[in-house]
Amino acid sequence: MKYLSLALKSSVALCSLIGIWLNIFVPGDEHIHWNSLLYFTIQSNFWIAAVCMAGGVMMLKGISPGRSWSVAKMMFTISITLTGTVFCFILAPTMEGNPFTLSSCLVHVFSPLLAVVDYLVVSRCLDLRYKDALWGAVPPLYYLGFASLGYILNWQFSPGVRYPYFFLDWESPLGAFGFSRSFPFMGVVWYAVGLLGALVAVSLLYIAASRALRAGRDV
């Protein structure tokens, strides 16, 4: 399992970092897209790449992962899971053209899938408790504050756009608390509450899987 996990961690880091590079330095485009760094997609790929590289170094040095790394592994795997799920099932269907370009697939599909597989492979070594599920909501909470600050300060996530994703659009006719039968259906606060609740639930499932596999190892 050690070599499988090392291969998976290396693959996650490569997919994330190459995907980030291709999103910033878009082939055939003379402009450098530094604004890509403002998106949760890119930030979550940085996080999972970092935690995978740190885990790989510890494995090579024979260092057992402690509580801090275990929580970080779970937390950032949840974040990259959110990235892949939201893109594939919420954002991609609303996008024009082909949303599944190479750069997009690297950060939205390949990195999330490989990260989840690696989580399951190393889960027997993770020291997690059910209360750690709350950590799964920390990166999205941070990003909600980050994107909201960007809106206030008039950051350009893309030309003329002050928000990163439609469900974080404070300029939407539905505002913070509105509802509608048509797109975007809900205000920002309701999307945030729904996503955070779903993330805590998914975190509990990830932790349960890890604890079950760990218990099986100890039998």
Side-chain angles (χ1 to χ4, degrees), residues 18 22 35-36 41 58 63 68 75 78 95 103 107 126 162 173 180 183 219:
I18 293 173
L22 291 176
N35 61 307
S36 295
T41 290
M58 286 192 292
I63 302 172
S68 295
M75 181 170 62
I78 294 297
M95 297 171 66
S103 60
V107 295
L126 300 180
R162 297 165 61 192
S180 172
F183 186 83
V219 170

Side-chain angles (χ1 to χ4, degrees), residues 75-89:
M75 181 170 62
F76 294 132
T77 302
I78 294 297
S79 293
I80 201 69
T81 300
L82 174 65
T83 291
T85 302
V86 168
F87 179 81
C88 291
F89 298 104

Side-chain angles (χ1 to χ4, degrees), residues 49-128:
V51 80
C52 281
M53 288 188 289
V57 169
M58 286 192 292
M59 290 186 74
L60 289 172
K61 292 186 174 183
I63 302 172
S64 297
R67 279 272 299 152
S68 295
W69 188 84
S70 296
V71 171
K73 177 68 172 175
M74 182 275 298
M75 181 170 62
F76 294 132
T77 302
I78 294 297
S79 293
I80 201 69
T81 300
L82 174 65
T83 291
T85 302
V86 168
F87 179 81
C88 291
F89 298 104
I90 298 179
L91 296 177
T94 69
M95 297 171 66
E96 297 180 357
N98 176 25
F100 294 102
T101 60
L102 174 60
S103 60
S104 180
C105 284
L106 286 170
V107 295
H108 292 117
V109 181
F110 300 148
S111 179
L113 283 175
L114 290 167
V116 171
V117 173
D118 183 53
Y119 176 87
L120 294 174
V121 169
V122 302
S123 60
R124 298 178 182 180
C125 303
L126 300 180
D127 182 10
L128 293 170

Side-chain angles (χ1 to χ4, degrees), residues 141-214:
L141 271 175
Y142 140 76
Y143 191 76
L144 175 62
F146 177 85
S148 299
L149 177 64
Y151 174 79
I152 294 170
L153 297 180
N154 199 32
W155 295 348
Q156 300 295 295
F157 288 85
S158 59
V161 179
R162 297 165 61 192
Y163 57 90
Y165 309 106
F166 74 83
F167 48 85
L168 291 177
D169 178 11
W170 294 102
E171 294 180 343
S172 162
L174 301 180
F177 298 101
F179 284 100
S180 172
R181 292 183 179 180
S182 58
F183 186 83
F185 305 112
M186 298 185 295
V188 173
V189 170
W190 302 122
Y191 275 113
V193 170
L195 283 173
L196 291 172
L199 285 173
V200 172
V202 172
S203 298
L204 287 169
L205 289 174
Y206 276 46
I207 293 170
S210 175
R211 289 172 66 88
L213 290 169
R214 186 181 179 92

